[in-house]
Amino acid sequence: MDAEMKIYIIGRQGDIQIQNESVSLKHAKLSYVTATDLLIEDLDSTNGTCVNGKRIKRKRIKLTDEVVLGEYAVDLKAEISRLPKTDEDVKTRFKELEEVYKDYSESKVKLQSKTAVKSAFKRMIPMALPGLLISLICLLIPAANITVIQVLSGILTSAGLAMGAAWGAVEQGKIPERINELEEQFKLDYVCPDCQSFLGNTPWKGLDNRGHCSYCKRKFK
């Protein structure tokens, strides 16, 4: 992929020009690895390159990562959206969005299913404990008063039901948060290869059939 995609030079001179004294003439090199991941490499700049607060020499990044050249924070998404793209670049990166949509859809279904199973299992454990405890009591104390056992059974069963419901509710409450995080990342990754606009929840096949971006009208094929 690196060999096929254009390499962008960032600096006071280059494809992405930043006129800041802390930025070297040719400060860093940027290239696409996938439709959503890039590779940034510091070109032995004077003041260095940092990603998410850490100085790097070469690192795989996303457009949402915080990139600082010298003392200048770069808005990569905005800068890249202004760069001219060849038709081949757009076609290649659009094709890769098929995998982005597939991963998102599968992850969402898996998250919902996995969380539901885990929630049901957590509800089941407290509900099963009362029966196990009563059975243990009967084994250890064969002559135990049946009335005492019945009362104890009722108390433990009620407690188990309450614990199971509470535990399950906590797990179910995590689902919206996790799905929200997944969808937020999807909005950052499922974007037009040219203008970087979010392509919505339209399946990739639908975008492929339409053949162009609704915002910038750039053709995908």
Side-chain angles (χ1 to χ4, degrees):
M1 183 74 175
D2 288 336
E4 298 173 0
M5 302 301 290
K6 179 176 173 58
I7 294 174
Y8 302 110
I9 301 299
I10 313 175
R12 298 206 311 277
Q13 294 178 0
D15 303 291
I16 300 176
Q17 295 189 9
I18 298 171
Q19 301 308 319
N20 183 282
E21 291 182 358
S22 67
V23 177
S24 299
L25 289 178
K26 293 185 178 180
H27 196 108
K29 180 171 67 177
L30 190 69
S31 57
Y32 272 92
V33 180
T34 69
T36 59
D37 290 3
L38 303 96
L39 187 68
I40 189 167
E41 182 176 354
D42 185 82
L43 299 176
D44 295 322
S45 63
T46 302
N47 297 310
T49 300
C50 292
V51 175
N52 298 327
K54 294 183 178 180
R55 189 158 179 165
I56 60 94
K57 176 60 181 176
R58 191 169 185 263
K59 185 174 178 62
R60 185 165 173 162
I61 63 171
K62 289 186 176 294
L63 289 175
T64 51
D65 285 328
E66 181 185 82
V67 176
V68 178
L69 306 183
E71 298 175 357
Y72 186 87
V74 184
D75 185 342
L76 283 181
K77 187 172 184 178
E79 295 291 349
I80 288 177
S81 68
R82 290 192 282 266
L83 288 171
K85 282 85 174 177
T86 66
D87 290 341
E88 196 59 37
D89 288 343
V90 171
K91 289 176 184 178
T92 301
R93 287 159 58 189
F94 174 70
K95 178 62 179 175
E96 291 182 347
L97 291 180
E98 181 178 13
E99 196 66 26
V100 172
Y101 187 84
K102 179 182 176 182
D103 289 345
Y104 161 74
S105 301
E106 291 179 350
S107 297
K108 188 172 183 179
V109 171
K110 188 182 296 183
L111 177 60
Q112 290 172 325
S113 301
K114 183 178 180 181
T115 306
V117 170
K118 188 187 293 184
S119 177
F121 183 69
K122 286 185 175 181
R123 285 197 300 269
M124 181 182 69
I125 293 176
M127 294 177 187
L129 285 177
L132 293 173
L133 289 173
I134 294 301
S135 299
L136 184 60
I137 291 173
C138 290
L139 288 172
L140 295 176
I141 314 174
N145 188 293
I146 189 66
T147 302
V148 173
I149 291 177
Q150 288 175 337
V151 172
L152 185 59
S153 177
I155 294 173
L156 291 174
T157 299
S158 298
L161 289 171
M163 288 174 61
W167 204 357
V170 169
E171 190 62 33
Q172 286 290 336
K174 295 177 182 178
I175 296 177
E177 180 181 350
R178 291 173 179 171
I179 290 179
N180 183 62
E181 291 174 355
L182 180 66
E183 291 181 341
E184 287 301 314
Q185 187 60 52
F186 177 63
K187 290 177 182 177
L188 297 173
D189 293 341
Y190 199 56
V191 297
C192 170
D194 194 352
C195 70
Q196 302 295 307
S197 296
F198 175 50
L199 295 170
N201 292 312
T202 305
W204 182 87
K205 191 61 179 177
L207 297 176
D208 187 45
N209 290 334
R210 187 171 67 199
H212 67 272
C213 174
S214 297
Y215 300 97
C216 68
K217 308 303 179 184
R218 184 65 181 262
K219 292 182 179 180
F220 296 143
K221 54 184 181 180

